[in-house]
């Protein structure tokens, strides 16, 4: 694992209260899972930061080991890993995502 990339990931998570690692951008998601996750996030009405992993291959290869989650997107809220698309959707439909 690249130490510099790991430090970048830690800094991003530390400095953004809501951070989504995704394929593409919220305005132009580049996979269906990222689109579904962005839709849930937008419905909650909170601003969130994002990192396009397609533009950051080092982060794309390092983050799964750091988060212990193999797929993207990955959502972090208040420095805590929340999960991927399916978990975000479950939290959204149960109303718990608003609380986070």
């Amino acid at each position: 694992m690249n130490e510099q990339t790991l430090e970048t990931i830690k800094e991003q998570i530390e400095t953004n209260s809501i951070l989504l690692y995704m394929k593409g951008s919220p305005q132009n998601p580049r996979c269906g899972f990222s689109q579904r996750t962005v839709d849930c996030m937008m419905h909650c009405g909170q601003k969130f930061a994002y990192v396009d992993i397609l533009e950051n291959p080092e982060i794309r290869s390092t983050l799964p080991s750091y988060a212990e989650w193999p797929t993207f997107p990955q959502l972090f809220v208040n420095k805590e890993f929340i999960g991927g698309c399916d978990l975000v959707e479950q939290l959204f439909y149960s109303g718990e995502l608003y609380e986070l």
Side-chain angles (χ1 to χ4, degrees), residues 4-19:
Q4 184 177 8
T5 302
L6 188 58
E7 287 304 313
T8 298
I9 291 169
K10 288 178 182 178
E11 181 180 323
Q12 290 170 337
I13 293 169
E14 182 76 27
T15 59
N16 294 285
S17 58
I18 304 173
L19 178 60

Side-chain angles (χ1 to χ4, degrees), residues 3 26-28 35 37-38 48 53-54 60 64 68 70 76-78 84-86 98:
E3 287 300 317
Q27 299 78 19
N28 187 29
Q35 176 70 61
T37 303
V38 165
F48 61 94
I53 60 157
L54 299 176
R60 183 179 187 178
E68 298 179 358
F76 288 79
V77 176
N78 296 323
C85 179
D86 291 343
Y98 292 98

Side-chain angles (χ1 to χ4, degrees), residues 20-79:
L20 180 62
Y21 289 94
M22 62 179 292
K23 293 179 180 176
S25 68
Q27 299 78 19
N28 187 29
R30 301 211 17 224
C31 84
F33 296 112
S34 290
Q35 176 70 61
R36 290 168 36 199
T37 303
V38 165
D39 289 346
C40 291
M41 299 300 296
M42 297 295 248
H43 277 84
C44 288
Q46 290 291 320
K47 292 184 180 183
F48 61 94
Y50 76 94
V51 174
D52 180 354
I53 60 157
L54 299 176
E55 297 292 325
N56 296 278
E58 302 86 20
I59 290 174
R60 183 179 187 178
S61 65
T62 303
L63 189 61
S65 296
Y66 176 80
E68 298 179 358
W69 192 262
T71 60
F72 293 94
Q74 293 186 14
L75 177 65
F76 288 79
V77 176
N78 296 323
K79 303 174 198 151

